[in-house]
PDB file of all heavy atoms in Angstrom:
ATOM      1  N   HIS A  64     -12.412 113.045 101.025  1.00 95.00           N
ATOM      2  CA  HIS A  64     -12.571 111.582 101.021  1.00 95.00           C
ATOM      3  C   HIS A  64     -11.358 110.911 101.660  1.00 95.00           C
ATOM      4  O   HIS A  64     -11.493 109.927 102.386  1.00 95.00           O
ATOM      5  CB  HIS A  64     -12.772 111.054  99.594  1.00 95.00           C
ATOM      6  CG  HIS A  64     -14.131 111.281  99.060  1.00 95.00           C
ATOM      7  ND1 HIS A  64     -15.207 110.514  99.412  1.00 95.00           N
ATOM      8  CD2 HIS A  64     -14.601 112.210  98.199  1.00 95.00           C
ATOM      9  CE1 HIS A  64     -16.285 110.954  98.797  1.00 95.00           C
ATOM     10  NE2 HIS A  64     -15.938 111.988  98.056  1.00 95.00           N
ATOM     11  N   GLY A  65     -10.175 111.446 101.390  1.00 94.00           N
ATOM     12  CA  GLY A  65      -8.968 110.909 102.006  1.00 94.00           C
ATOM     13  C   GLY A  65      -8.965 111.122 103.514  1.00 94.00           C
ATOM     14  O   GLY A  65      -8.552 110.232 104.272  1.00 94.00           O
ATOM     15  N   ALA A  66      -9.427 112.286 103.958  1.00 93.00           N
ATOM     16  CA  ALA A  66      -9.503 112.559 105.392  1.00 93.00           C
ATOM     17  C   ALA A  66     -10.472 111.595 106.075  1.00 93.00           C
ATOM     18  O   ALA A  66     -10.221 111.140 107.193  1.00 93.00           O
ATOM     19  CB  ALA A  66      -9.922 114.007 105.632  1.00 93.00           C
ATOM     20  N   GLN A  67     -11.560 111.266 105.388  1.00 92.00           N
ATOM     21  CA  GLN A  67     -12.494 110.270 105.925  1.00 92.00           C
ATOM     22  C   GLN A  67     -11.793 108.949 106.184  1.00 92.00           C
ATOM     23  O   GLN A  67     -11.949 108.344 107.239  1.00 92.00           O
ATOM     24  CB  GLN A  67     -13.628 110.001 104.930  1.00 92.00           C
ATOM     25  CG  GLN A  67     -14.765 110.964 104.956  1.00 92.00           C
ATOM     26  CD  GLN A  67     -15.856 110.508 104.012  1.00 92.00           C
ATOM     27  OE1 GLN A  67     -15.604 110.042 102.901  1.00 92.00           O
ATOM     28  NE2 GLN A  67     -17.094 110.658 104.449  1.00 92.00           N
ATOM     29  N   LYS A  68     -11.037 108.509 105.190  1.00 91.00           N
ATOM     30  CA  LYS A  68     -10.386 107.201 105.282  1.00 91.00           C
ATOM     31  C   LYS A  68      -9.245 107.191 106.296  1.00 91.00           C
ATOM     32  O   LYS A  68      -9.088 106.239 107.048  1.00 91.00           O
ATOM     33  CB  LYS A  68      -9.863 106.781 103.912  1.00 91.00           C
ATOM     34  CG  LYS A  68     -10.954 106.413 102.934  1.00 91.00           C
ATOM     35  CD  LYS A  68     -10.371 106.087 101.579  1.00 91.00           C
ATOM     36  CE  LYS A  68     -11.444 105.709 100.580  1.00 91.00           C
ATOM     37  NZ  LYS A  68     -12.298 106.843 100.200  1.00 91.00           N
ATOM     38  N   LEU A  69      -8.446 108.239 106.321  1.00 90.00           N
ATOM     39  CA  LEU A  69      -7.251 108.246 107.160  1.00 90.00           C
ATOM     40  C   LEU A  69      -7.519 108.632 108.611  1.00 90.00           C
ATOM     41  O   LEU A  69      -6.864 108.121 109.517  1.00 90.00           O
ATOM     42  CB  LEU A  69      -6.198 109.193 106.584  1.00 90.00           C
ATOM     43  CG  LEU A  69      -5.582 108.772 105.255  1.00 90.00           C
ATOM     44  CD1 LEU A  69      -4.608 109.831 104.769  1.00 90.00           C
ATOM     45  CD2 LEU A  69      -4.899 107.429 105.372  1.00 90.00           C
ATOM     46  N   PHE A  70      -8.449 109.549 108.818  1.00 89.00           N
ATOM     47  CA  PHE A  70      -8.647 110.086 110.159  1.00 89.00           C
ATOM     48  C   PHE A  70     -10.013 109.775 110.757  1.00 89.00           C
ATOM     49  O   PHE A  70     -10.273 110.116 111.903  1.00 89.00           O
ATOM     50  CB  PHE A  70      -8.416 111.603 110.162  1.00 89.00           C
ATOM     51  CG  PHE A  70      -7.098 112.001 109.565  1.00 89.00           C
ATOM     52  CD1 PHE A  70      -7.047 112.815 108.447  1.00 89.00           C
ATOM     53  CD2 PHE A  70      -5.903 111.542 110.099  1.00 89.00           C
ATOM     54  CE1 PHE A  70      -5.830 113.179 107.880  1.00 89.00           C
ATOM     55  CE2 PHE A  70      -4.686 111.893 109.541  1.00 89.00           C
ATOM     56  CZ  PHE A  70      -4.656 112.716 108.433  1.00 89.00           C
ATOM     57  N   GLY A  71     -10.899 109.187 109.962  1.00 88.00           N
ATOM     58  CA  GLY A  71     -12.230 108.861 110.460  1.00 88.00           C
ATOM     59  C   GLY A  71     -13.118 110.076 110.673  1.00 88.00           C
ATOM     60  O   GLY A  71     -14.112 110.001 111.385  1.00 88.00           O
ATOM     61  N   VAL A  72     -12.773 111.198 110.065  1.00 89.00           N
ATOM     62  CA  VAL A  72     -13.576 112.422 110.198  1.00 89.00           C
ATOM     63  C   VAL A  72     -14.567 112.532 109.046  1.00 89.00           C
ATOM     64  O   VAL A  72     -14.504 111.753 108.092  1.00 89.00           O
ATOM     65  CB  VAL A  72     -12.669 113.673 110.233  1.00 89.00           C
ATOM     66  CG1 VAL A  72     -11.757 113.643 111.445  1.00 89.00           C
ATOM     67  CG2 VAL A  72     -11.850 113.803 108.971  1.00 89.00           C
ATOM     68  N   LEU A  73     -15.472 113.485 109.143  1.00 88.00           N
ATOM     69  CA  LEU A  73     -16.436 113.767 108.066  1.00 88.00           C
ATOM     70  C   LEU A  73     -17.260 112.534 107.697  1.00 88.00           C
ATOM     71  O   LEU A  73     -17.526 112.272 106.533  1.00 88.00           O
ATOM     72  CB  LEU A  73     -15.716 114.309 106.819  1.00 88.00           C
ATOM     73  CG  LEU A  73     -14.822 115.532 107.039  1.00 88.00           C
ATOM     74  CD1 LEU A  73     -14.000 115.825 105.799  1.00 88.00           C
ATOM     75  CD2 LEU A  73     -15.654 116.730 107.437  1.00 88.00           C
ATOM     76  N   GLY A  74     -17.636 111.761 108.671  1.00 85.00           N
ATOM     77  CA  GLY A  74     -18.417 110.553 108.414  1.00 85.00           C
ATOM     78  C   GLY A  74     -17.605 109.292 108.521  1.00 85.00           C
ATOM     79  O   GLY A  74     -18.133 108.225 108.789  1.00 85.00           O
ATOM     80  N   GLY A  75     -16.303 109.396 108.322  1.00 78.00           N
ATOM     81  CA  GLY A  75     -15.386 108.271 108.494  1.00 78.00           C
ATOM     82  C   GLY A  75     -15.753 107.013 107.745  1.00 78.00           C
ATOM     83  O   GLY A  75     -16.731 106.952 107.029  1.00 78.00           O
ATOM     84  N   VAL A  76     -14.917 106.022 107.877  1.00 67.00           N
ATOM     85  CA  VAL A  76     -15.148 104.707 107.294  1.00 67.00           C
ATOM     86  C   VAL A  76     -14.818 103.666 108.354  1.00 67.00           C
ATOM     87  O   VAL A  76     -14.220 103.981 109.378  1.00 67.00           O
ATOM     88  CB  VAL A  76     -14.278 104.456 106.036  1.00 67.00           C
ATOM     89  CG1 VAL A  76     -14.660 105.387 104.914  1.00 67.00           C
ATOM     90  CG2 VAL A  76     -12.807 104.572 106.350  1.00 67.00           C
ATOM     91  N   GLY A  77     -15.183 102.459 108.101  1.00 57.00           N
ATOM     92  CA  GLY A  77     -14.869 101.385 109.028  1.00 57.00           C
ATOM     93  C   GLY A  77     -15.823 101.355 110.201  1.00 57.00           C
ATOM     94  O   GLY A  77     -16.802 102.081 110.246  1.00 57.00           O
ATOM     95  N   PRO A  78     -15.542 100.506 111.167  1.00 53.00           N
ATOM     96  CA  PRO A  78     -16.438 100.358 112.310  1.00 53.00           C
ATOM     97  C   PRO A  78     -16.534 101.635 113.137  1.00 53.00           C
ATOM     98  O   PRO A  78     -15.523 102.242 113.478  1.00 53.00           O
ATOM     99  CB  PRO A  78     -15.810  99.222 113.116  1.00 53.00           C
ATOM    100  CG  PRO A  78     -14.427  99.084 112.623  1.00 53.00           C
ATOM    101  CD  PRO A  78     -14.376  99.651 111.239  1.00 53.00           C
ATOM    102  N   ALA A  79     -17.727 102.060 113.408  1.00 54.00           N
ATOM    103  CA  ALA A  79     -18.008 103.251 114.226  1.00 54.00           C
ATOM    104  C   ALA A  79     -17.320 104.500 113.685  1.00 54.00           C
ATOM    105  O   ALA A  79     -16.916 105.377 114.440  1.00 54.00           O
ATOM    106  CB  ALA A  79     -17.606 103.000 115.673  1.00 54.00           C
ATOM    107  N   GLY A  80     -17.179 104.594 112.367  1.00 62.00           N
ATOM    108  CA  GLY A  80     -16.591 105.791 111.762  1.00 62.00           C
ATOM    109  C   GLY A  80     -15.105 105.937 112.007  1.00 62.00           C
ATOM    110  O   GLY A  80     -14.567 107.022 111.897  1.00 62.00           O
ATOM    111  N   GLY A  81     -14.420 104.849 112.343  1.00 70.00           N
ATOM    112  CA  GLY A  81     -12.987 104.905 112.626  1.00 70.00           C
ATOM    113  C   GLY A  81     -12.158 105.042 111.364  1.00 70.00           C
ATOM    114  O   GLY A  81     -12.646 104.918 110.256  1.00 70.00           O
ATOM    115  N   ALA A  82     -10.875 105.291 111.565  1.00 75.00           N
ATOM    116  CA  ALA A  82      -9.951 105.440 110.440  1.00 75.00           C
ATOM    117  C   ALA A  82      -9.535 104.069 109.923  1.00 75.00           C
ATOM    118  O   ALA A  82      -9.506 103.089 110.653  1.00 75.00           O
ATOM    119  CB  ALA A  82      -8.722 106.222 110.888  1.00 75.00           C
ATOM    120  N   ALA A  83      -9.205 104.016 108.646  1.00 75.00           N
ATOM    121  CA  ALA A  83      -8.710 102.785 108.031  1.00 75.00           C
ATOM    122  C   ALA A  83      -7.251 102.574 108.438  1.00 75.00           C
ATOM    123  O   ALA A  83      -6.512 103.540 108.637  1.00 75.00           O
ATOM    124  CB  ALA A  83      -8.808 102.886 106.514  1.00 75.00           C
ATOM    125  N   PRO A  84      -6.808 101.311 108.584  1.00 80.00           N
ATOM    126  CA  PRO A  84      -5.385 101.068 108.868  1.00 80.00           C
ATOM    127  C   PRO A  84      -4.520 101.641 107.745  1.00 80.00           C
ATOM    128  O   PRO A  84      -4.849 101.504 106.563  1.00 80.00           O
ATOM    129  CB  PRO A  84      -5.279  99.546 108.896  1.00 80.00           C
ATOM    130  CG  PRO A  84      -6.665  99.048 109.075  1.00 80.00           C
ATOM    131  CD  PRO A  84      -7.580 100.086 108.500  1.00 80.00           C
ATOM    132  N   LEU A  85      -3.443 102.308 108.112  1.00 80.00           N
ATOM    133  CA  LEU A  85      -2.612 103.004 107.131  1.00 80.00           C
ATOM    134  C   LEU A  85      -2.025 102.049 106.099  1.00 80.00           C
ATOM    135  O   LEU A  85      -1.981 102.359 104.918  1.00 80.00           O
ATOM    136  CB  LEU A  85      -1.496 103.764 107.851  1.00 80.00           C
ATOM    137  CG  LEU A  85      -0.718 104.767 107.026  1.00 80.00           C
ATOM    138  CD1 LEU A  85      -1.641 105.826 106.437  1.00 80.00           C
ATOM    139  CD2 LEU A  85       0.348 105.430 107.870  1.00 80.00           C
ATOM    140  N   PHE A  86      -1.575 100.866 106.526  1.00 83.00           N
ATOM    141  CA  PHE A  86      -0.974  99.904 105.612  1.00 83.00           C
ATOM    142  C   PHE A  86      -2.011  98.893 105.149  1.00 83.00           C
ATOM    143  O   PHE A  86      -1.921  97.703 105.429  1.00 83.00           O
ATOM    144  CB  PHE A  86       0.238  99.228 106.254  1.00 83.00           C
ATOM    145  CG  PHE A  86       1.340 100.190 106.537  1.00 83.00           C
ATOM    146  CD1 PHE A  86       1.606 100.600 107.837  1.00 83.00           C
ATOM    147  CD2 PHE A  86       2.099 100.719 105.510  1.00 83.00           C
ATOM    148  CE1 PHE A  86       2.621 101.503 108.097  1.00 83.00           C
ATOM    149  CE2 PHE A  86       3.110 101.624 105.757  1.00 83.00           C
ATOM    150  CZ  PHE A  86       3.372 102.020 107.062  1.00 83.00           C
ATOM    151  N   SER A  87      -3.002  99.397 104.462  1.00 87.00           N
ATOM    152  CA  SER A  87      -4.062  98.580 103.871  1.00 87.00           C
ATOM    153  C   SER A  87      -4.439  99.224 102.552  1.00 87.00           C
ATOM    154  O   SER A  87      -3.980 100.319 102.228  1.00 87.00           O
ATOM    155  CB  SER A  87      -5.285  98.526 104.799  1.00 87.00           C
ATOM    156  OG  SER A  87      -5.889  99.803 104.889  1.00 87.00           O
ATOM    157  N   MET A  88      -5.276  98.545 101.789  1.00 91.00           N
ATOM    158  CA  MET A  88      -5.707  99.123 100.520  1.00 91.00           C
ATOM    159  C   MET A  88      -6.494 100.414 100.761  1.00 91.00           C
ATOM    160  O   MET A  88      -6.321 101.400 100.048  1.00 91.00           O
ATOM    161  CB  MET A  88      -6.560  98.116  99.737  1.00 91.00           C
ATOM    162  CG  MET A  88      -6.663  98.499  98.286  1.00 91.00           C
ATOM    163  SD  MET A  88      -7.515  97.328  97.225  1.00 91.00           S
ATOM    164  CE  MET A  88      -6.839  95.778  97.692  1.00 91.00           C
ATOM    165  N   MET A  89      -7.339 100.406 101.798  1.00 90.00           N
ATOM    166  CA  MET A  89      -8.107 101.605 102.130  1.00 90.00           C
ATOM    167  C   MET A  89      -7.184 102.720 102.627  1.00 90.00           C
ATOM    168  O   MET A  89      -7.398 103.891 102.326  1.00 90.00           O
ATOM    169  CB  MET A  89      -9.161 101.267 103.187  1.00 90.00           C
ATOM    170  CG  MET A  89     -10.169 102.359 103.414  1.00 90.00           C
ATOM    171  SD  MET A  89     -11.291 102.618 102.028  1.00 90.00           S
ATOM    172  CE  MET A  89     -12.372 101.235 102.238  1.00 90.00           C
ATOM    173  N   GLY A  90      -6.133 102.364 103.364  1.00 90.00           N
ATOM    174  CA  GLY A  90      -5.167 103.353 103.828  1.00 90.00           C
ATOM    175  C   GLY A  90      -4.404 103.980 102.669  1.00 90.00           C
ATOM    176  O   GLY A  90      -4.212 105.198 102.631  1.00 90.00           O
ATOM    177  N   LEU A  91      -3.975 103.147 101.709  1.00 94.00           N
ATOM    178  CA  LEU A  91      -3.290 103.667 100.527  1.00 94.00           C
ATOM    179  C   LEU A  91      -4.219 104.576  99.727  1.00 94.00           C
ATOM    180  O   LEU A  91      -3.807 105.644  99.265  1.00 94.00           O
ATOM    181  CB  LEU A  91      -2.780 102.525  99.651  1.00 94.00           C
ATOM    182  CG  LEU A  91      -2.099 102.933  98.343  1.00 94.00           C
ATOM    183  CD1 LEU A  91      -0.880 103.807  98.614  1.00 94.00           C
ATOM    184  CD2 LEU A  91      -1.712 101.708  97.546  1.00 94.00           C
ATOM    185  N   ALA A  92      -5.480 104.168  99.587  1.00 95.00           N
ATOM    186  CA  ALA A  92      -6.455 105.014  98.892  1.00 95.00           C
ATOM    187  C   ALA A  92      -6.605 106.348  99.615  1.00 95.00           C
ATOM    188  O   ALA A  92      -6.661 107.407  98.974  1.00 95.00           O
ATOM    189  CB  ALA A  92      -7.799 104.300  98.798  1.00 95.00           C
ATOM    190  N   GLY A  93      -6.635 106.306 100.948  1.00 94.00           N
ATOM    191  CA  GLY A  93      -6.751 107.546 101.718  1.00 94.00           C
ATOM    192  C   GLY A  93      -5.570 108.470 101.515  1.00 94.00           C
ATOM    193  O   GLY A  93      -5.725 109.683 101.407  1.00 94.00           O
ATOM    194  N   ILE A  94      -4.368 107.907 101.438  1.00 95.00           N
ATOM    195  CA  ILE A  94      -3.168 108.716 101.207  1.00 95.00           C
ATOM    196  C   ILE A  94      -3.228 109.369  99.829  1.00 95.00           C
ATOM    197  O   ILE A  94      -2.968 110.566  99.682  1.00 95.00           O
ATOM    198  CB  ILE A  94      -1.897 107.857 101.357  1.00 95.00           C
ATOM    199  CG1 ILE A  94      -1.720 107.438 102.811  1.00 95.00           C
ATOM    200  CG2 ILE A  94      -0.662 108.600 100.850  1.00 95.00           C
ATOM    201  CD1 ILE A  94      -0.672 106.365 103.027  1.00 95.00           C
ATOM    202  N   ILE A  95      -3.575 108.575  98.811  1.00 97.00           N
ATOM    203  CA  ILE A  95      -3.676 109.122  97.450  1.00 97.00           C
ATOM    204  C   ILE A  95      -4.736 110.213  97.411  1.00 97.00           C
ATOM    205  O   ILE A  95      -4.540 111.267  96.801  1.00 97.00           O
ATOM    206  CB  ILE A  95      -3.976 108.015  96.427  1.00 97.00           C
ATOM    207  CG1 ILE A  95      -2.779 107.076  96.292  1.00 97.00           C
ATOM    208  CG2 ILE A  95      -4.355 108.610  95.067  1.00 97.00           C
ATOM    209  CD1 ILE A  95      -3.065 105.825  95.478  1.00 97.00           C
ATOM    210  N   GLU A  96      -5.866 109.969  98.069  1.00 97.00           N
ATOM    211  CA  GLU A  96      -6.960 110.939  98.027  1.00 97.00           C
ATOM    212  C   GLU A  96      -6.621 112.219  98.790  1.00 97.00           C
ATOM    213  O   GLU A  96      -6.863 113.320  98.289  1.00 97.00           O
ATOM    214  CB  GLU A  96      -8.232 110.307  98.570  1.00 97.00           C
ATOM    215  CG  GLU A  96      -8.771 109.245  97.642  1.00 97.00           C
ATOM    216  CD  GLU A  96      -9.884 108.408  98.246  1.00 97.00           C
ATOM    217  OE1 GLU A  96     -10.378 108.741  99.353  1.00 97.00           O
ATOM    218  OE2 GLU A  96     -10.258 107.403  97.626  1.00 97.00           O
ATOM    219  N   LEU A  97      -6.064 112.088  99.982  1.00 97.00           N
ATOM    220  CA  LEU A  97      -5.758 113.287 100.767  1.00 97.00           C
ATOM    221  C   LEU A  97      -4.628 114.092 100.132  1.00 97.00           C
ATOM    222  O   LEU A  97      -4.802 115.277  99.829  1.00 97.00           O
ATOM    223  CB  LEU A  97      -5.388 112.911 102.201  1.00 97.00           C
ATOM    224  CG  LEU A  97      -5.038 114.098 103.107  1.00 97.00           C
ATOM    225  CD1 LEU A  97      -6.247 115.012 103.300  1.00 97.00           C
ATOM    226  CD2 LEU A  97      -4.520 113.618 104.440  1.00 97.00           C
ATOM    227  N   LEU A  98      -3.477 113.454  99.927  1.00 98.00           N
ATOM    228  CA  LEU A  98      -2.341 114.186  99.360  1.00 98.00           C
ATOM    229  C   LEU A  98      -2.592 114.578  97.905  1.00 98.00           C
ATOM    230  O   LEU A  98      -2.262 115.688  97.490  1.00 98.00           O
ATOM    231  CB  LEU A  98      -1.065 113.367  99.494  1.00 98.00           C
ATOM    232  CG  LEU A  98      -0.623 113.063 100.925  1.00 98.00           C
ATOM    233  CD1 LEU A  98       0.654 112.241 100.933  1.00 98.00           C
ATOM    234  CD2 LEU A  98      -0.457 114.333 101.731  1.00 98.00           C
ATOM    235  N   GLY A  99      -3.183 113.655  97.142  1.00 98.00           N
ATOM    236  CA  GLY A  99      -3.487 113.964  95.747  1.00 98.00           C
ATOM    237  C   GLY A  99      -4.502 115.088  95.623  1.00 98.00           C
ATOM    238  O   GLY A  99      -4.351 115.984  94.789  1.00 98.00           O
TER     239      GLY A  99
END
C-alpha cells in the first residue's frame, strides 16, 4: 500500500495512477506504510 502511494506502482493513487506528493498527508501515509 505504501509503494502504491509513494511510487504509483501496483495500481497507484492519484491522477493516472501517479505517486502522491511526498510532503502531503498521502505521502506521509505512504512512508509509514512502506517503511512500517
Side-chain angles (χ1 to χ4, degrees):
H64 283 282
Q67 277 185 319
K68 289 177 180 69
L69 293 177
F70 307 119
V72 297
L73 306 171
V76 295
L85 192 58
F86 296 106
S87 67
M88 197 175 314
M89 191 69 76
L91 177 60
I94 292 168
I95 292 170
E96 291 169 9
L97 180 64
L98 297 180

